[in-house]
Amino acid sequence: EWLGGCRESHELCRDHQRPFMPTRLLELDGPLRLFTGEISTVALPYAALSYVWGFTQSHVLTASTLAAKTAGIDQTQLPKTIQDAIEIARKLGFSYLWVDSLCILLDTP
């Protein structure tokens, strides 16, 4: 309710609803998966998480893990920070979440 009221009532909040869409997002409705469809032409609301996640991580997106993550992601295997962000985004009513380590291909130049 608070977030909806902010978007509807505050001019600055309305102005920050930009049409930009990333090329990859986590889809939160239904089973968790990486969504890579044609979403960049439509402005869908999404939450974002960018954080310092350390050196060696098994959950990151690479060319070799792209297909598997598009098919589905086991949320219990993700770091707690990402699990918490998913839970909060869902509770706030977001269908999509952008997480740097899961939405940026990390092995491409």
Coordinates of all heavy atoms in Angstrom, one line a residue, residues 24-108:
R24 N 17.7 -8.9 -19.0 CA 17.4 -10.1 -18.2 C 16.9 -9.7 -16.8 O 17.4 -8.8 -16.2 CB 18.7 -11.0 -18.0 CG 19.1 -11.7 -19.3 CD 20.4 -12.4 -19.2 NE 21.5 -11.5 -19.0 CZ 22.2 -10.9 -20.1 NH1 21.8 -11.1 -21.3 NH2 23.2 -10.1 -19.8
L25 N 15.9 -10.5 -16.3 CA 15.3 -10.2 -15.0 C 15.0 -11.6 -14.4 O 14.7 -12.6 -15.1 CB 14.1 -9.4 -15.0 CG 14.2 -7.9 -15.4 CD1 12.8 -7.4 -15.8 CD2 14.8 -7.2 -14.3
L26 N 15.0 -11.7 -13.1 CA 14.4 -12.9 -12.4 C 12.9 -12.7 -12.4 O 12.4 -11.7 -12.1 CB 14.9 -13.0 -11.0 CG 16.4 -13.2 -10.8 CD1 16.7 -13.3 -9.3 CD2 16.8 -14.5 -11.5
E27 N 12.2 -13.8 -12.9 CA 10.8 -13.8 -12.9 C 10.3 -14.4 -11.6 O 10.7 -15.5 -11.2 CB 10.3 -14.6 -14.1 CG 8.8 -14.5 -14.2 CD 8.3 -15.1 -15.5 OE1 8.8 -16.2 -15.9 OE2 7.4 -14.5 -16.1
L28 N 9.5 -13.7 -10.8 CA 9.2 -14.1 -9.5 C 7.8 -14.7 -9.4 O 7.5 -15.4 -8.4 CB 9.2 -12.9 -8.5 CG 10.5 -12.1 -8.5 CD1 10.3 -10.9 -7.5 CD2 11.6 -12.9 -8.1
D29 N 7.0 -14.6 -10.4 CA 5.7 -15.2 -10.4 C 5.8 -16.7 -10.8 O 6.4 -17.0 -11.9 CB 4.7 -14.5 -11.4 CG 4.4 -13.1 -10.9 OD1 4.5 -12.8 -9.8 OD2 4.0 -12.3 -11.8
G30 N 5.4 -17.6 -10.0 CA 5.6 -19.0 -10.2 C 7.0 -19.4 -9.8 O 7.7 -18.7 -9.1
P31 N 7.5 -20.5 -10.4 CA 8.9 -21.0 -10.1 C 9.9 -19.9 -10.5 O 9.8 -19.3 -11.6 CB 9.0 -22.2 -10.9 CG 7.6 -22.7 -11.2 CD 6.8 -21.4 -11.3
L32 N 10.9 -19.7 -9.7 CA 11.9 -18.7 -9.9 C 12.7 -19.1 -11.2 O 13.2 -20.3 -11.3 CB 12.9 -18.6 -8.7 CG 14.0 -17.6 -8.8 CD1 13.3 -16.2 -8.8 CD2 14.9 -17.7 -7.6
R33 N 12.9 -18.2 -12.1 CA 13.7 -18.4 -13.3 C 14.2 -17.1 -13.8 O 13.7 -16.0 -13.5 CB 12.9 -19.1 -14.4 CG 11.8 -18.3 -15.0 CD 11.0 -19.1 -16.1 NE 10.2 -18.2 -16.9 CZ 10.5 -17.7 -18.1 NH1 11.6 -18.0 -18.6 NH2 9.7 -16.9 -18.7
L34 N 15.2 -17.2 -14.7 CA 15.8 -16.0 -15.4 C 14.9 -15.8 -16.6 O 14.7 -16.7 -17.4 CB 17.2 -16.3 -15.7 CG 17.9 -15.1 -16.4 CD1 18.1 -13.9 -15.4 CD2 19.3 -15.5 -16.9
F35 N 14.4 -14.6 -16.7 CA 13.5 -14.2 -17.9 C 14.4 -13.4 -18.8 O 15.0 -12.4 -18.5 CB 12.3 -13.4 -17.4 CG 11.4 -13.1 -18.5 CD1 10.6 -14.1 -19.0 CD2 11.2 -11.8 -18.9 CE1 9.7 -13.8 -20.0 CE2 10.3 -11.5 -19.9 CZ 9.5 -12.5 -20.5
T36 N 14.4 -13.9 -20.1 CA 15.2 -13.2 -21.1 C 14.4 -12.8 -22.3 O 14.9 -12.5 -23.4 CB 16.4 -14.1 -21.6 OG1 15.9 -15.3 -22.1 CG2 17.3 -14.4 -20.4
G37 N 13.1 -12.7 -22.1 CA 12.2 -12.4 -23.2 C 12.3 -11.0 -23.7 O 13.0 -10.2 -23.2
E38 N 11.4 -10.6 -24.6 CA 11.3 -9.3 -25.1 C 10.6 -8.4 -24.2 O 9.4 -8.1 -24.3 CB 10.7 -9.3 -26.5 CG 11.5 -9.9 -27.6 CD 12.8 -9.2 -27.8 OE1 12.8 -7.9 -27.8 OE2 13.8 -9.8 -28.1
I39 N 11.3 -8.0 -23.1 CA 10.6 -7.1 -22.1 C 11.1 -5.7 -22.2 O 10.6 -4.8 -21.6 CB 10.8 -7.6 -20.7 CG1 12.3 -7.8 -20.4 CG2 10.0 -8.9 -20.5 CD1 12.6 -8.3 -19.0
S40 N 12.2 -5.5 -23.0 CA 12.8 -4.1 -23.0 C 11.9 -3.1 -23.7 O 12.1 -1.9 -23.5 CB 14.1 -4.2 -23.7 OG 14.0 -4.7 -25.0
T41 N 10.9 -3.5 -24.4 CA 10.0 -2.5 -25.1 C 8.8 -2.1 -24.2 O 8.1 -1.2 -24.6 CB 9.5 -3.1 -26.4 OG1 8.7 -4.3 -26.1 CG2 10.6 -3.4 -27.4
V42 N 8.6 -2.8 -23.1 CA 7.5 -2.5 -22.2 C 8.1 -2.2 -20.8 O 9.0 -2.9 -20.3 CB 6.6 -3.7 -22.1 CG1 5.5 -3.5 -21.1 CG2 6.1 -4.2 -23.4
A43 N 7.6 -1.1 -20.2 CA 8.1 -0.7 -18.9 C 7.3 -1.5 -17.8 O 6.2 -1.1 -17.4 CB 7.9 0.8 -18.7
L44 N 7.9 -2.6 -17.3 CA 7.4 -3.4 -16.3 C 8.0 -3.0 -15.0 O 9.3 -2.8 -14.9 CB 7.6 -4.9 -16.5 CG 7.0 -5.4 -17.8 CD1 7.4 -6.9 -18.0 CD2 5.4 -5.3 -17.7
P45 N 7.3 -2.9 -13.9 CA 8.0 -2.5 -12.6 C 8.8 -3.7 -12.1 O 8.4 -4.9 -12.2 CB 6.8 -2.3 -11.7 CG 5.6 -2.6 -12.4 CD 5.9 -3.0 -13.8
Y46 N 10.0 -3.4 -11.7 CA 10.9 -4.4 -11.1 C 11.7 -3.8 -10.0 O 11.9 -2.6 -9.9 CB 11.8 -5.0 -12.2 CG 12.8 -4.0 -12.8 CD1 14.1 -3.9 -12.3 CD2 12.5 -3.2 -13.9 CE1 15.0 -3.0 -12.8 CE2 13.4 -2.3 -14.4 CZ 14.6 -2.2 -13.9 OH 15.5 -1.3 -14.4
A47 N 12.1 -4.6 -9.1 CA 13.0 -4.2 -8.0 C 14.5 -4.6 -8.4 O 14.6 -5.4 -9.3 CB 12.6 -4.9 -6.7
A48 N 15.4 -4.0 -7.8 CA 16.8 -4.3 -8.1 C 17.7 -4.5 -6.9 O 17.4 -3.9 -5.8 CB 17.4 -3.2 -8.9
L49 N 18.6 -5.4 -7.0 CA 19.6 -5.7 -5.9 C 21.0 -5.7 -6.5 O 21.3 -6.5 -7.4 CB 19.3 -7.0 -5.2 CG 20.4 -7.5 -4.2 CD1 20.4 -6.6 -3.0 CD2 20.2 -8.9 -3.8
S50 N 21.8 -4.8 -6.0 CA 23.2 -4.8 -6.4 C 24.0 -4.7 -5.1 O 23.8 -3.9 -4.3 CB 23.5 -3.6 -7.3 OG 24.9 -3.6 -7.7
Y51 N 24.9 -5.6 -4.9 CA 25.6 -5.7 -3.7 C 27.0 -6.3 -3.9 O 27.3 -6.9 -4.9 CB 24.9 -6.5 -2.6 CG 24.8 -8.0 -2.9 CD1 25.5 -8.9 -2.2 CD2 23.9 -8.5 -3.9 CE1 25.4 -10.2 -2.4 CE2 23.9 -9.8 -4.2 CZ 24.6 -10.7 -3.4 OH 24.5 -12.0 -3.7
V52 N 27.9 -6.1 -3.0 CA 29.2 -6.7 -3.0 C 29.1 -8.2 -2.6 O 28.7 -8.5 -1.5 CB 30.2 -6.0 -2.1 CG1 31.6 -6.7 -2.1 CG2 30.3 -4.6 -2.4
W53 N 29.3 -9.1 -3.6 CA 29.0 -10.5 -3.3 C 30.3 -11.4 -3.3 O 30.2 -12.6 -3.3 CB 28.0 -11.1 -4.3 CG 28.1 -10.6 -5.7 CD1 27.5 -9.4 -6.2 CD2 28.8 -11.1 -6.8 NE1 27.8 -9.3 -7.5 CE2 28.6 -10.3 -7.9 CE3 29.5 -12.3 -7.0 CZ2 29.1 -10.6 -9.2 CZ3 30.1 -12.6 -8.2 CH2 29.8 -11.7 -9.3
G54 N 31.4 -10.8 -3.2 CA 32.6 -11.6 -3.0 C 33.3 -12.1 -4.3 O 32.9 -11.8 -5.4
F55 N 34.1 -13.1 -4.1 CA 34.9 -13.6 -5.2 C 34.3 -14.8 -5.8 O 33.6 -14.7 -6.8 CB 36.4 -13.9 -4.7 CG 37.1 -12.7 -4.2 CD1 37.2 -12.4 -2.9 CD2 37.6 -11.8 -5.1 CE1 37.9 -11.3 -2.5 CE2 38.3 -10.7 -4.7 CZ 38.4 -10.4 -3.4
T56 N 34.5 -16.0 -5.3 CA 34.0 -17.2 -5.9 C 32.5 -17.4 -5.5 O 32.2 -17.6 -4.3 CB 34.8 -18.4 -5.5 OG1 36.2 -18.1 -5.8 CG2 34.4 -19.6 -6.2
Q57 N 31.6 -17.4 -6.5 CA 30.2 -17.7 -6.2 C 29.7 -18.7 -7.2 O 30.0 -18.6 -8.4 CB 29.4 -16.4 -6.4 CG 29.8 -15.3 -5.5 CD 29.3 -15.5 -4.1 OE1 28.2 -16.0 -3.8 NE2 30.2 -15.2 -3.1
S58 N 29.0 -19.7 -6.8 CA 28.5 -20.7 -7.7 C 27.2 -20.4 -8.4 O 26.8 -21.0 -9.3 CB 28.3 -22.0 -6.9 OG 27.3 -21.8 -5.9
H59 N 26.5 -19.3 -8.0 CA 25.2 -19.0 -8.5 C 25.3 -18.0 -9.7 O 24.3 -17.7 -10.3 CB 24.4 -18.4 -7.4 CG 24.8 -17.0 -6.9 ND1 25.8 -16.9 -6.0 CD2 24.4 -15.8 -7.3 CE1 26.0 -15.6 -5.8 NE2 25.2 -14.9 -6.6
V60 N 26.4 -17.4 -10.0 CA 26.5 -16.3 -11.0 C 26.1 -16.8 -12.4 O 26.2 -18.0 -12.8 CB 27.9 -15.7 -11.1 CG1 28.3 -15.1 -9.7 CG2 29.0 -16.7 -11.5
L61 N 25.7 -15.8 -13.2 CA 25.3 -16.1 -14.6 C 26.5 -16.1 -15.5 O 27.3 -15.1 -15.6 CB 24.3 -15.0 -15.1 CG 23.7 -15.2 -16.5 CD1 22.9 -16.5 -16.6 CD2 22.9 -14.0 -16.8
T62 N 26.7 -17.1 -16.3 CA 27.7 -17.2 -17.3 C 27.0 -17.8 -18.6 O 25.9 -18.3 -18.5 CB 28.8 -18.1 -16.9 OG1 28.3 -19.5 -16.7 CG2 29.5 -17.7 -15.6
A63 N 27.7 -17.8 -19.7 CA 27.2 -18.3 -20.9 C 26.8 -19.8 -20.7 O 25.8 -20.3 -21.3 CB 28.2 -18.2 -22.0
S64 N 27.6 -20.5 -19.9 CA 27.3 -21.9 -19.7 C 26.2 -22.2 -18.7 O 25.6 -23.3 -18.7 CB 28.6 -22.7 -19.2 OG 29.0 -22.2 -18.0
T65 N 25.8 -21.2 -17.9 CA 24.7 -21.5 -17.0 C 23.4 -20.8 -17.4 O 22.3 -20.9 -16.8 CB 25.0 -21.0 -15.6 OG1 25.3 -19.5 -15.6 CG2 26.2 -21.7 -15.0
L66 N 23.4 -20.0 -18.5 CA 22.3 -19.2 -19.0 C 21.1 -20.1 -19.3 O 20.0 -19.8 -18.8 CB 22.6 -18.5 -20.3 CG 21.5 -17.6 -20.9 CD1 21.0 -16.5 -19.9 CD2 22.0 -17.0 -22.2
A67 N 21.2 -21.2 -20.0 CA 20.1 -22.1 -20.3 C 19.5 -22.7 -19.1 O 18.2 -22.7 -18.9 CB 20.5 -23.2 -21.3
A68 N 20.3 -23.1 -18.2 CA 19.8 -23.7 -16.9 C 19.0 -22.7 -16.1 O 18.0 -23.0 -15.5 CB 20.9 -24.4 -16.1
K69 N 19.5 -21.5 -16.0 CA 18.9 -20.5 -15.2 C 17.6 -20.0 -15.8 O 16.7 -19.6 -15.1 CB 19.8 -19.4 -14.9 CG 21.0 -19.8 -13.9 CD 21.8 -18.6 -13.5 CE 22.9 -19.0 -12.6 NZ 22.8 -20.1 -11.7
T70 N 17.5 -20.1 -17.1 CA 16.3 -19.7 -17.8 C 15.2 -20.8 -17.6 O 14.0 -20.5 -17.5 CB 16.5 -19.6 -19.3 OG1 17.5 -18.6 -19.5 CG2 15.3 -19.1 -20.1
A71 N 15.6 -22.0 -17.4 CA 14.7 -23.1 -17.2 C 14.2 -23.1 -15.7 O 13.0 -23.4 -15.4 CB 15.4 -24.5 -17.4
G72 N 15.0 -22.7 -14.8 CA 14.6 -22.6 -13.4 C 15.8 -22.5 -12.5 O 16.9 -22.9 -12.8
I73 N 15.5 -21.8 -11.3 CA 16.6 -21.6 -10.3 C 16.1 -22.1 -9.0 O 15.0 -21.8 -8.6 CB 17.0 -20.1 -10.2 CG1 17.5 -19.6 -11.6 CG2 18.0 -19.9 -9.1 CD1 17.6 -18.1 -11.6
D74 N 16.9 -22.9 -8.3 CA 16.6 -23.4 -7.0 C 16.9 -22.3 -6.0 O 18.1 -22.0 -5.7 CB 17.4 -24.6 -6.7 CG 17.0 -25.2 -5.3 OD1 16.3 -24.6 -4.5 OD2 17.6 -26.3 -5.0
Q75 N 15.9 -21.6 -5.5 CA 16.1 -20.5 -4.6 C 16.8 -20.8 -3.4 O 17.6 -20.0 -2.9 CB 14.7 -19.9 -4.3 CG 14.8 -18.6 -3.4 CD 13.4 -18.0 -3.2 OE1 12.5 -18.2 -4.0 NE2 13.3 -17.3 -2.1
T76 N 16.7 -22.0 -2.9 CA 17.4 -22.4 -1.7 C 18.9 -22.5 -1.9 O 19.6 -22.5 -0.9 CB 16.9 -23.8 -1.2 OG1 17.2 -24.8 -2.1 CG2 15.4 -23.8 -0.9
Q77 N 19.4 -22.6 -3.1 CA 20.8 -22.6 -3.4 C 21.5 -21.2 -3.5 O 22.7 -21.1 -3.7 CB 21.1 -23.5 -4.6 CG 20.6 -24.9 -4.5 CD 21.3 -25.6 -3.3 OE1 22.5 -25.6 -3.2 NE2 20.5 -26.2 -2.5
L78 N 20.6 -20.2 -3.5 CA 21.1 -18.8 -3.6 C 21.6 -18.3 -2.3 O 21.1 -18.7 -1.2 CB 20.0 -17.9 -4.2 CG 19.6 -18.3 -5.6 CD1 18.4 -17.4 -6.0 CD2 20.7 -18.1 -6.6
P79 N 22.5 -17.3 -2.3 CA 22.9 -16.7 -1.0 C 21.7 -16.0 -0.3 O 20.7 -15.6 -1.0 CB 23.9 -15.6 -1.5 CG 24.4 -16.0 -2.8 CD 23.2 -16.8 -3.4
K80 N 21.8 -16.0 1.0 CA 20.6 -15.5 1.8 C 20.3 -14.0 1.4 O 19.1 -13.7 1.4 CB 21.0 -15.5 3.3 CG 20.0 -15.1 4.2 CD 18.9 -16.2 4.4 CE 18.0 -15.8 5.6 NZ 16.7 -15.3 5.3
T81 N 21.2 -13.2 1.0 CA 20.9 -11.9 0.6 C 19.9 -11.9 -0.6 O 19.0 -11.1 -0.6 CB 22.2 -11.1 0.2 OG1 23.1 -11.1 1.3 CG2 21.9 -9.7 -0.2
I82 N 20.2 -12.7 -1.6 CA 19.3 -12.8 -2.7 C 18.0 -13.4 -2.3 O 16.9 -13.0 -2.8 CB 20.0 -13.6 -3.9 CG1 21.2 -12.9 -4.3 CG2 19.0 -13.8 -5.0 CD1 22.0 -13.6 -5.4
Q83 N 18.0 -14.4 -1.5 CA 16.7 -15.0 -1.0 C 15.9 -14.0 -0.4 O 14.6 -13.9 -0.6 CB 17.0 -16.2 -0.1 CG 17.6 -17.4 -0.7 CD 17.8 -18.5 0.3 OE1 17.0 -18.7 1.2 NE2 18.9 -19.3 0.1
D84 N 16.5 -13.2 0.5 CA 15.7 -12.1 1.2 C 15.2 -11.1 0.2 O 14.0 -10.6 0.3 CB 16.6 -11.4 2.2 CG 16.9 -12.3 3.4 OD1 16.3 -13.4 3.6 OD2 17.8 -11.9 4.2
A85 N 16.0 -10.7 -0.8 CA 15.5 -9.7 -1.8 C 14.3 -10.3 -2.6 O 13.4 -9.5 -2.9 CB 16.7 -9.4 -2.8
I86 N 14.4 -11.6 -2.9 CA 13.2 -12.2 -3.6 C 12.0 -12.1 -2.8 O 10.9 -11.8 -3.3 CB 13.6 -13.6 -4.0 CG1 14.7 -13.7 -5.1 CG2 12.4 -14.4 -4.5 CD1 15.3 -15.0 -5.3
E87 N 12.1 -12.5 -1.5 CA 11.0 -12.5 -0.6 C 10.4 -11.1 -0.5 O 9.2 -10.9 -0.6 CB 11.4 -13.0 0.7 CG 10.2 -13.1 1.7 CD 10.7 -13.6 3.1 OE1 11.8 -14.2 3.2 OE2 9.9 -13.5 4.0
I88 N 11.2 -10.1 -0.3 CA 10.8 -8.7 -0.1 C 10.1 -8.2 -1.4 O 9.0 -7.6 -1.4 CB 11.9 -7.8 0.3 CG1 12.3 -8.2 1.8 CG2 11.5 -6.3 0.2 CD1 13.6 -7.6 2.2
A89 N 10.7 -8.5 -2.6 CA 10.2 -8.0 -3.8 C 8.8 -8.6 -4.1 O 7.9 -8.0 -4.5 CB 11.1 -8.4 -5.0
R90 N 8.6 -9.9 -3.8 CA 7.3 -10.6 -3.9 C 6.3 -9.9 -3.0 O 5.2 -9.7 -3.4 CB 7.5 -12.1 -3.6 CG 8.1 -12.9 -4.8 CD 8.2 -14.3 -4.4 NE 8.6 -15.1 -5.6 CZ 9.3 -16.2 -5.5 NH1 9.6 -16.8 -4.3 NH2 9.6 -16.9 -6.6
K91 N 6.7 -9.7 -1.7 CA 5.8 -9.1 -0.8 C 5.4 -7.7 -1.2 O 4.3 -7.2 -0.9 CB 6.4 -9.1 0.6 CG 6.4 -10.5 1.3 CD 6.9 -10.4 2.7 CE 6.9 -11.8 3.3 NZ 7.4 -11.9 4.6
L92 N 6.3 -7.0 -1.9 CA 5.9 -5.6 -2.4 C 5.1 -5.6 -3.7 O 4.7 -4.6 -4.2 CB 7.2 -4.8 -2.6 CG 7.9 -4.4 -1.3 CD1 9.3 -3.7 -1.7 CD2 7.1 -3.4 -0.5
G93 N 4.9 -6.8 -4.2 CA 4.1 -7.0 -5.4 C 4.8 -6.9 -6.7 O 4.2 -6.8 -7.8
F94 N 6.2 -7.0 -6.7 CA 6.9 -7.0 -7.9 C 6.9 -8.4 -8.5 O 7.0 -9.4 -7.8 CB 8.4 -6.6 -7.7 CG 8.5 -5.2 -7.4 CD1 8.6 -4.7 -6.1 CD2 8.5 -4.2 -8.4 CE1 8.7 -3.4 -5.8 CE2 8.7 -2.9 -8.1 CZ 8.8 -2.5 -6.8
S95 N 6.8 -8.5 -9.8 CA 6.9 -9.8 -10.6 C 8.3 -10.0 -11.1 O 8.6 -11.1 -11.5 CB 5.9 -9.8 -11.7 OG 4.6 -9.7 -11.3
Y96 N 9.1 -9.0 -11.0 CA 10.5 -9.1 -11.6 C 11.5 -8.5 -10.6 O 11.2 -7.5 -9.9 CB 10.6 -8.4 -12.9 CG 9.7 -9.1 -14.0 CD1 8.5 -8.5 -14.2 CD2 10.1 -10.2 -14.7 CE1 7.7 -9.1 -15.2 CE2 9.3 -10.8 -15.6 CZ 8.1 -10.2 -15.9 OH 7.2 -10.8 -16.8
L97 N 12.7 -9.1 -10.6 CA 13.8 -8.6 -9.8 C 15.1 -8.7 -10.6 O 15.4 -9.7 -11.2 CB 13.9 -9.5 -8.5 CG 15.1 -9.2 -7.6 CD1 15.0 -7.8 -6.9 CD2 15.2 -10.3 -6.5
W98 N 15.8 -7.6 -10.6 CA 17.1 -7.6 -11.2 C 18.2 -7.7 -10.1 O 18.2 -7.0 -9.2 CB 17.4 -6.2 -12.0 CG 18.6 -6.2 -12.7 CD1 18.9 -6.6 -14.0 CD2 19.9 -5.7 -12.2 NE1 20.2 -6.4 -14.3 CE2 20.8 -5.8 -13.2 CE3 20.3 -5.2 -11.0 CZ2 22.2 -5.4 -13.1 CZ3 21.6 -4.8 -10.9 CH2 22.5 -4.9 -11.9
V99 N 19.1 -8.7 -10.3 CA 20.2 -9.0 -9.4 C 21.4 -9.1 -10.2 O 21.5 -9.9 -11.1 CB 20.0 -10.3 -8.6 CG1 21.2 -10.6 -7.7 CG2 18.7 -10.3 -7.8
D100 N 22.4 -8.2 -9.9 CA 23.6 -8.1 -10.7 C 24.2 -9.5 -11.0 O 24.5 -9.8 -12.2 CB 24.6 -7.1 -10.2 CG 25.0 -7.3 -8.7 OD1 24.6 -8.4 -8.1 OD2 25.7 -6.5 -8.2
S101 N 24.5 -10.3 -10.0 CA 25.2 -11.5 -10.2 C 24.4 -12.6 -11.0 O 25.0 -13.5 -11.5 CB 25.6 -12.1 -8.9 OG 24.5 -12.4 -8.1
L102 N 23.1 -12.4 -11.1 CA 22.2 -13.3 -11.8 C 21.7 -12.8 -13.2 O 21.1 -13.5 -13.9 CB 21.1 -13.8 -11.0 CG 21.4 -14.7 -9.8 CD1 20.2 -14.8 -8.8 CD2 21.9 -16.0 -10.3
C103 N 21.9 -11.5 -13.4 CA 21.3 -10.9 -14.6 C 22.4 -10.3 -15.6 O 22.0 -9.9 -16.7 CB 20.3 -9.8 -14.2 SG 18.9 -10.5 -13.3
I104 N 23.6 -10.3 -15.2 CA 24.7 -9.8 -16.0 C 25.5 -11.0 -16.4 O 26.0 -11.8 -15.5 CB 25.5 -8.8 -15.3 CG1 24.7 -7.5 -15.0 CG2 26.7 -8.4 -16.2 CD1 25.5 -6.5 -14.1
L105 N 25.8 -11.3 -17.7 CA 26.7 -12.4 -18.1 C 28.1 -12.0 -17.6 O 28.6 -11.0 -18.1 CB 26.6 -12.6 -19.6 CG 25.5 -13.4 -20.1 CD1 25.4 -13.4 -21.6 CD2 25.6 -14.8 -19.6
L106 N 28.6 -12.7 -16.7 CA 29.9 -12.4 -16.1 C 31.1 -12.9 -16.8 O 32.2 -12.6 -16.4 CB 29.9 -12.8 -14.7 CG 28.8 -12.1 -13.8 CD1 28.7 -12.6 -12.4 CD2 29.0 -10.6 -13.8
D107 N 30.9 -13.7 -17.9 CA 32.1 -14.2 -18.6 C 32.2 -13.7 -20.0 O 32.8 -14.3 -20.9 CB 32.1 -15.7 -18.5 CG 30.9 -16.4 -19.2 OD1 30.0 -15.7 -19.6 OD2 31.0 -17.6 -19.4
T108 N 31.5 -12.6 -20.3 CA 31.6 -12.0 -21.7 C 32.3 -10.7 -21.6 O 32.2 -10.0 -20.6 CB 30.2 -11.8 -22.3 OG1 29.4 -11.0 -21.4 CG2 29.5 -13.2 -22.5

